[in-house]
Amino acid sequence: MKRRDFIKITSLSAGGIIIGGSMLKWAYGETTQNSKPNSFKGERFPTICEVCFWKCAGWVYKDENGNIQKIIGNNDDPHSNGRLCPRGTGGVGMYNDTDRLKRPMIRVGDAGSQEFKEVSWEEALDYVAQKMKTIGEKHGYESIALLDHGTTANHFEHLFSSFGSETSGEPAIAQCLGAREAAFIATYGSGIGSPEPVDIRNAKCVVFLGSHIGENMHNGVVQDVSYGIDHDLSIITVDPRFSTVASKSKFWLPIKPSTDMALLLAWMNVLITEELYDKDYVEQYTFGFEQLKAHVANYTPEWAATKTDLSSDLIRKTAYEMAEASPAVAIHPGRHVAWYGDDTQRVRAIAIINALLGSWGRKGGFYFAEKKSLPKFPMPHYPEPKWTWKDITLEKYKGAFTGVTNIIVDASLPDATTKHKVKAWFVVATNIIQSIPDLKKTEKAIQNLDLLVVVDTMPMEITGYADVILPECTYLERYDYLRASRHKIPTIALRMPAVEPKYDTKPGWWIAREIGLRLGLEKYFPWENLEEVLDWQLKQIGSSLDEMKKIGVKSFEKEEPLYLAKGEDYEFGTSSGKIELYSTDLEAMGYDPMPKYKDHPQPPAGYLRLIYGRVPMHTFGRTTNNPNLNDLMSENHLWVSPKIAKINGLKNNQEVWLKNQDEITTTNSVKVRITERIRHDSVYLPHGFGHTSDKLSTTFGKGAADSQLTTSVVLDEVTGGTGMRGNFVTILVDNPNKEEVVS
Ligand SMILES: Nc1nc2c(c(=O)[nH]1)N[C@H]1C(S)=C(S)[C@@H](COP(=O)(O)OP(=O)(O)OC[C@H]3O[C@@H](n4cnc5c(=O)[nH]c(N)nc54)[C@H](O)[C@@H]3O)O[C@H]1N2
Ligand SMILES: Nc1nc2c(c(=O)[nH]1)N[C@H]1C(S)=C(S)[C@@H](COP(=O)(O)OP(=O)(O)OC[C@H]3O[C@@H](n4cnc5c(=O)[nH]c(N)nc54)[C@H](O)[C@@H]3O)O[C@H]1N2
Ligand code: SF4
Ligand SMILES: [Mo]
């Protein structure tokens, strides 16, 4: 490789991290972002990006006329290393989007009517508080549920705790990483968290199972992998699709979808039977090795080959590759793991292999991340709710550690069988129409609610179902709580407004507080504005709001070492105090203590498996209307293999529709992309397109929505999250939605 092809950006932060790599160039383009131009005369304000949830810290530059000129990374920030991804750079489009929600609105007429009237904040907030009181008095405040995501969620979680409801759920857990956390909690006694503490920069080998880094554009990981590519990192990618990271890998394993468990068990078999595991580590830190050894004895690579479509030779070779690199090796735990319904157990298998390789707590494996704890602003204890999410969840899904969105939906149905019923929803910064599967069920639940309040910045699909819409200003126009995230070095970061809120929009903290005051909860909001809270918190840890406004990010000393010392005594948070290869906790809950292989349904004749994922230029459906990012990519394409294209007589860019096993068809057409990069049993449709809200004028009608087709779900038996990859589709060349013309 020619070195001059690489971009090199020397960070000013401690350690002088060099970011390089052809992949980074491919991913982020040519521009360098982290220098303040000498000629610049305006002001800069610290921010934390809200375009996705990697939470990069940056600077918003405002010119002399008060216009936002650009947003760039903060050099002292370990999430961004001074560089934002293209979506973060384009975040200003969220502020400039003329389709934004502009004023509070109340529905006129019955639920289902699409007519809204614009009202003052006073009227909207009075209406919401009054309705909440009526519902609270009749059904208990616990019957009001919060579905949320993002930074704004914190303000509403505080409001909910203040009035005594812990009935909540997030698609970013139940439809995303819930099973991953449960799996690592069962194995190591602690979850993974975000950012994932995988020590890629020091690793010799990293395995990505489904994680499609490079399309999944989580900034720090993309930079780490780019660095690795320049430093002989051996990458193994397991994906039915030749993903971006597969193209940078030493090994690509084009696995038959849904069979990953067979591969993982076979890897365990090779590591154990050929004695390639880290014996000292396993001896000192793990529990249940002998049981695991017996359990995987029959899961040979030859057996796995029959399930996965991978050769036994390739399965062995990749196991050797990992063992060779041990302990500087990690199977990345993934993030969106809600796949096939045995998700906790599949991620458990990943957690177990990492333990066999001795990689947890080891350089080049997983490091011990640390965060700065921030003192809580003084206020009384929250009231004790009569029931919480636990009472409607844990009876069946014993490994759930937080509320589950789809269970909140179930508890809201007219014929709900849950112990307690939900009567109202606050939907805050989550477009559940696109993010919770089985839309018909969600709609049925919504029709049964006494109140649906939506807090959003954009007229997304969910706002069309609301009784009241409360328009929040964007992240560039508001304060939020400090970011205190876990990383190699503990840091805190500040987001502050760079510009005044446009239109009649308000920050989330203000909306939550105003509702709180109307509910008589002054004692939980003993401050006038969030700046007071932030300044108080900062002063307790030796900083101040003034200081943070100047620096944006502040680092603190790490108190615990990054890695285990050789032979160090260490107690894990599991019941046995060891890494549980054999999970006593899962066993006690009635689940398999060790992961087992289970066949999942395969596409019936004539059908293809629908798989979905990310595209680099967008975050779910939240950015497709962003004018800057829409310019970069305005629609998705359906990836189809040449063989399937031939059978269906398809051409590149031909418009098609999809129909799933439940006879559901996509509203919009999508263009075909014929490529060898996808297996012939599947099609790939990037998520986030196919918006049906006509108020999103830039993106409306463009591309197709995978969420419309995810009507069949398999619930993860441990956490209750929804496995969504068991949907099968056929390709239609004629528009199924065309109205019949009757002459
Ligand atoms: N640009 C961008 N980046 C993002 C986001 C975004 O919206 N946009 N969202 C962020 C969020 S919240 C998340 S959770 C992550 C999600 O991203 P990841 O956790 O990295 O990936 P997944 O969505 O789980 O999986 C997508 C990949 O799985 C492959 N796949 C499908 N079926 C199978 C299978 O049976 N086995 C295997 N091994 N692979 C399979 C698909 O081909 C695809 O490449 O991305 C994050 N990063
Ligand atoms: N079919 C299908 N379903 C999926 C996935 C998939 O790939 N396919 N992915 C799953 C995953 S991994 C995740 S994490 C979830 C994510 O699902 P969501 O939580 O729904 O996704 P977000 O993009 O975070 O939330 C979108 C909403 O937040 C609003 N918003 C953006 N910024 C702000 C703000 O500052 N304030 C307020 N109040 N609102 C704001 C947007 O306008 C939009 O309505 O979806 C899951 N569901
Ligand atoms: S990864 Fe990109 S979109 Fe996500 S927070 Fe960082 S800069 Fe923003
Ligand atoms: Mo996610």
Side-chain angles (χ1 to χ4, degrees), residues 152 155-156 455 472-473 478 480 506-513:
T152 296
H155 307 299
F156 288 87
V455 183
E472 194 182 16
C473 56
R478 65 181 199 235
D480 271 304
K506 299 281 186 189
W509 66 260
W510 182 90
I511 303 172
R513 182 171 186 272

Side-chain angles (χ1 to χ4, degrees), residues 6-12 16-21 24 28-35 75 80-84 201 223:
F6 302 154
I7 316 167
K8 285 216 166 69
I9 302 160
T10 310
S11 163
L12 301 177
I17 295 165
I18 308 286
I19 305 162
L24 192 62
Y28 293 176
E30 292 281 0
T31 52
T32 55
Q33 300 171 324
N34 58 348
S35 57
N75 288 324
S80 70
N81 299 313
R83 191 177 180 113
L84 301 185
R201 279 183 193 254
Q223 294 185 19

Side-chain angles (χ1 to χ4, degrees), residues 158-159 161-164 376-384 481 512-528 532-533:
H158 171 59
L159 170 69
S161 298
S162 305
F163 69 71
K376 204 168 170 264
F377 196 80
M379 63 180 77
H381 285 300
Y382 294 133
E384 197 66 44
Y481 286 124
R513 182 171 186 272
E514 287 295 319
I515 295 172
L517 297 183
R518 282 167 174 75
L519 293 173
L521 301 169
E522 300 79 12
K523 62 181 176 183
Y524 297 106
F525 297 90
W527 36 270
E528 289 290 315
E532 273 178 56
V533 179

Side-chain angles (χ1 to χ4, degrees), residues 566-586:
K566 201 170 179 352
E568 178 186 336
D569 267 346
Y570 190 88
E571 193 174 335
F572 291 84
T574 52
S575 299
S576 61
K578 302 265 182 190
I579 302 171
E580 296 206 350
L581 307 176
Y582 182 101
S583 171
T584 53
D585 288 347
L586 287 178

